[in-house]
Amino acid sequence: VTTSNGSLRLIARRRAQRSQHGRTMAEDEVNPHLEELDAELQELLTANEALQCENELFESYLARVNPGLLSEDDDPTAGMGRKKQSSSKRTLTAEQKHDLALQEVEDFREQIEETRKKSDRLLDDLKAHMEECDMRIAEIKKEAYEFKRDIVVGAENFRTGKTAAEKVVRYMEDKQRTKGAAIEKLRLKNTTLKTQIQKIEQQLQLKEEMGEVLHVIDFDQLKIENQQYLEKIEERNTELLRLKLTTGNTVQTLNTLKRKLRNLTAESEWLKHEITQRKDSISKVTDEISRVELEKKHAEQFNRKLKRETGGENNMPQVLDYVAQKAELYELEKDIKNWERKVEIAEIEYRRQRTNAHRIRMSEM
């Protein structure tokens, strides 16, 4: 039984391997065919999307040019024979498709431009209304504040607590006069604007009658001139940027030079102060020299006077004699000091001996 079970398992395993091998070979044969079909499907989908876009474009063109033909095409029962007869006529060439596409693009551009203009006008109107509302709100707030200040608080009687009617009437009359003046001012402004509009319309009508209305060529010329002016503006902007950079560098250099100038100015002020002090010192020294020279002159005069009084230079003592006498005087003063010291010592010894003798006498008694 065990041998038969093992044989059965072996046979089943071999059959499974064979069936798996067969499926693998079949998949290998089918896979290339599936890839080709997938590629063809993608191409057909892309072509279908392109045809759908063309159909939408042609339907838009027919809806704009001939809506009746488009309504007949939408009816499945009407015009079947005519469709079959004119199917060849409705086949468009690439050039015709290109022209239709260009017309639709131009139409879309015009619609976009018209929508943009309408949106701009609507936006301007809304902005004007918002500004008018803001101005009106500000005016109402101002009027409410003035009414509260002048009537609710200012016109109230402190004793009775009631509002004075005269002040209310006067306030309303002032407001009416102010509004009337504003209305008159706006009416005059409106009249002026209408006059200006009439003048501009007359000038435009006169130009149209004289044949000065701009044509397509004039617009092309204006576009060319506008492009030239834009290029010149770009060049001027580039030049302006370069000049700004140069100005920035110049300003930096100027600031550096200003700092150096401030330092040099401070140093110059210090040097001026130092020079002034030196001049004062020189002036003082000069005065001192003059004073010394004057004293020298006086001393010389006094010296000459003394020489005349003493009878000449022969009776005057010599310098060496003076030095010798001065040295001798110094030695004598030194000897005097020594002798004075010795005397002091002797007196001290005398007093000590006298005290001892006194003690001896006292002991003998």
Side-chain angles (χ1 to χ4, degrees), residues 13-71:
R13 190 181 302 117
R14 288 179 179 176
R15 287 180 179 177
Q17 290 177 356
R18 288 175 183 175
S19 61
Q20 184 177 2
H21 181 67
R23 284 197 300 272
T24 304
M25 292 179 65
E27 288 178 358
D28 293 338
E29 292 177 356
V30 172
N31 283 334
H33 185 60
L34 289 176
E35 291 177 356
E36 292 177 359
L37 290 176
D38 191 11
E40 290 178 359
L41 179 61
Q42 293 296 330
E43 291 178 358
L44 290 173
L45 289 175
T46 304
N48 190 14
E49 290 178 357
L51 290 174
Q52 188 175 359
C53 292
E54 289 183 0
N55 287 332
E56 292 177 355
L57 181 65
F58 297 152
E59 287 178 0
S60 175
Y61 177 76
L62 288 175
R64 183 170 54 84
V65 176
N66 193 357
L69 183 61
L70 186 62
S71 61

Side-chain angles (χ1 to χ4, degrees), residues 283-329:
S283 177
K284 291 179 181 179
V285 171
T286 304
D287 295 338
E288 187 69 20
I289 290 171
S290 299
R291 187 179 61 80
V292 170
E293 288 180 352
L294 183 61
E295 290 179 357
K296 177 183 175 183
K297 186 177 180 181
H298 292 165
E300 288 178 352
Q301 291 177 358
F302 183 71
N303 190 16
R304 285 195 295 271
K305 181 179 179 181
L306 289 175
K307 284 182 180 180
R308 286 194 300 269
E309 290 178 355
T310 55
E313 297 180 356
N314 294 327
N315 296 326
M316 293 296 295
Q318 297 295 325
V319 177
L320 294 176
D321 297 336
Y322 174 76
V323 173
Q325 290 178 2
K326 196 71 175 176
E328 186 177 359
L329 178 62

Side-chain angles (χ1 to χ4, degrees), residues 247-263:
T247 305
N249 296 328
T250 306
V251 169
Q252 291 180 358
T253 306
L254 181 61
N255 292 330
T256 304
L257 292 176
K258 283 183 178 179
R259 287 195 296 271
K260 290 182 179 179
L261 180 61
R262 285 195 296 269
N263 295 330

